[in-house]
Amino acid sequence: MYPLRRNRRLRTNEAIRSLVRETTITPNDFLVPLFVVEGKGIKDEIASMPNYFRYSLDLLEGEIKELWSLGLKSVLLFVKVPDNLKDNKGTEALNPNGLMQRAIKTIKNVCPDMLVMTDVALDPYSSFGHDGIVQNGMIINDESAAVLSQMALTHAQAGADFVAPSDMNDGRTLQIRQLLENEGFKNTGIMSYSAKYASAFYGPFRDALDSAPVDLVDVPKDKKTYQMDCGNRIEAIRETLMDIDEGADIVMVKPGLSYLDILRDIKNEVDVPIAVYQVSGEYAMIKAAAEKGWLNHDQVMMETTIAFKRAGADIIASYFAKDVVKLIS
Ligand code: PBG
């Protein structure tokens, strides 16, 4: 008798395929990144991120309500800071009445149960486009981490549920955790970008926030002295274990698709929830190929989303969140 086992029996039709499918996607899987700008009545499409927008606070309200109605219950906030408010130390990041701090309050006001996570990094506030303070051609670690912890505190004070340091300076998770504890914010979570690689896939995001490193003498042209080298695998585990030791509740791998091996390695190593970030360049690639008619947008979107969860992601930060949820509902 040949063959004894026919694996194709389990693929015969959609009913049996869905019955034995190991990985499925629900709205609960997503964290929705949102870009916020100053002004009124602004819903501005990002050139390199088709169908993705920057919102002013008044229009953010409607977007939040729509996300909630789709079952999307967690957002990750980024702000675009006006040039005149940028400096080397990211002073504006600590303004209790700054755009981020007001965005948190706006969201909690229209949708109190929406989980609000905030980006903690200096690049949108930095006149040099770096995630820390620049001195003598270097990003200085400890001083940067100190500012980041102060920044995280202002987010907690404004009502953020989680703060998400995305900078990759050493020790910043511990500094944030200690300051939050000392100031009485014992229930504010930390989602640390723990294995974040120095990646060319962040290009469209830097367009969205106008946050790319500037081209000046004595300013590093890239983020390779703090973000990870793409050739490294073991280091991702070390970084992640350290963030957990320092008090991270959730850890992250970023970018997504090019780092699925890292995601699985970390899943096998740690016992806290793991987020993956399908970053702006990944979104842009799919959009561009689909626009040209070279790829089927929805199918590729679903395939990549499922890949993240299959590889070990508990949380998927994705610009496709709304599209996916509309498609599967
Ligand atoms: C910066 C930050 C970046 C992203 C999130 N936070 C860019 C960078 O590190 O240069 C990228 C997100 C994306 O590309 O979608 N702290």
Side-chain angles (χ1 to χ4, degrees):
M1 227 195 334
Y2 164 85
L4 264 188
R5 302 201 59 176
R6 290 184 183 274
N7 291 325
R8 290 184 55 184
R9 282 187 204 113
L10 297 179
R11 300 177 199 139
T12 306
N13 52 47
E14 178 51 23
I16 184 65
R17 287 194 297 271
S18 61
L19 198 61
V20 301
R21 188 167 294 137
E22 298 168 38
T23 308
T24 53
I25 299 295
T26 81
N28 296 334
D29 295 316
F30 290 106
L31 174 58
V32 184
L34 289 175
F35 298 116
V36 183
V37 283
E38 291 286 4
K40 269 204 160 55
I42 297 172
K43 181 182 174 184
D44 213 5
E45 189 173 24
I46 298 152
S48 47
M49 299 179 70
N51 203 35
Y52 221 80
F53 303 88
R54 305 179 197 91
Y55 295 91
S56 55
L57 293 181
D58 54 335
L59 296 192
L60 185 64
E61 296 187 3
E63 180 65 12
I64 291 291
K65 287 182 194 153
E66 189 188 343
L67 293 175
W68 188 262
S69 74
L70 289 168
L72 291 162
K73 302 187 291 282
S74 305
V75 295
L76 176 59
L77 299 184
F78 298 93
V79 292
K80 182 172 190 294
V81 180
D83 270 345
N84 65 318
L85 293 179
K86 297 186 183 186
D87 63 24
N88 185 23
K89 293 196 165 146
T91 310
E92 174 62 15
L94 309 186
N95 179 354
N97 201 29
L99 182 56
M100 177 64 92
Q101 292 78 358
R102 278 178 284 132
I104 298 164
K105 290 177 191 161
T106 301
I107 295 171
K108 286 293 179 184
N109 202 25
V110 317
C111 191
D113 294 328
M114 180 67 82
L115 188 91
V116 176
M117 298 200 187
T118 58
D119 185 58
V120 174
L122 290 191
D123 52 321
Y125 298 92
S126 159
S127 40
F128 297 136
H130 275 291
D131 298 43
I133 301 165
V134 181
Q135 201 176 83
N136 301 327
M138 316 236 292
I139 313 310
I140 47 175
N141 190 88
D142 300 9
E143 295 80 351
S144 300
V147 177
L148 292 169
S149 63
Q150 296 291 341
M151 180 179 179
L153 177 62
T154 70
H155 295 180
Q157 286 165 337
D161 299 290
F162 270 73
V163 293
S166 66
D167 57 299
M168 291 298 283
N169 285 294
D170 291 323
R172 91 287 204 206
T173 301
L174 181 61
Q175 287 230 25
I176 293 170
R177 177 54 79 208
Q178 282 176 336
L179 187 62
L180 291 175
E181 284 287 334
N182 292 341
E183 296 292 328
F185 290 93
K186 303 195 190 307
N187 292 322
T188 304
I190 302 178
M191 178 176 76
S192 274
Y193 290 58
S194 20
K196 175 170 176 176
Y197 287 83
S199 170
F201 284 104
Y202 307 149
F205 173 97
R206 294 176 189 172
D207 293 343
L209 296 188
D210 184 25
S211 61
V214 300
D215 191 7
L216 283 178
V217 230
D218 266 355
V219 176
K221 305 272 171 290
D222 57 44
K223 301 190 175 183
K224 290 182 180 171
T225 67
Y226 46 107
Q227 299 178 350
M228 284 179 56
D229 187 293
C230 88
N232 291 358
R233 188 169 172 185
I234 308 298
E235 186 189 1
I237 295 173
R238 181 167 77 240
E239 279 282 4
T240 305
L241 292 175
M242 284 176 69
D243 275 333
I244 296 169
D245 281 347
E246 291 180 25
D249 303 283
I250 299 173
V251 293
M252 188 194 278
V253 176
K254 179 185 175 191
L257 214 49
S258 307
Y259 298 87
L260 291 180
D261 55 331
I262 308 298
L263 183 55
R264 174 46 62 177
D265 281 349
I266 289 173
K267 180 67 177 176
N268 292 342
E269 205 71 37
V270 308
D271 57 6
V272 302
I274 304 168
V276 69
Y277 201 141
Q278 182 174 35
V279 299
S280 57
E282 302 177 57
Y283 177 86
M285 282 198 303
I286 293 173
K287 288 288 176 190
E291 262 174 30
K292 283 198 169 273
W294 291 348
L295 287 177
N296 180 305
H297 178 274
D298 289 353
Q299 289 173 5
V300 173
M301 171 179 80
M302 286 310 299
E303 193 172 328
T304 57
T305 305
I306 290 169
F308 295 127
K309 198 164 173 190
R310 190 193 63 229
D314 300 290
I315 300 166
I316 303 167
S318 171
Y319 303 104
F320 286 116
K322 248 166 90 172
D323 292 346
V324 169
V325 167
K326 285 181 182 166
L327 191 68
I328 62 180
S329 69

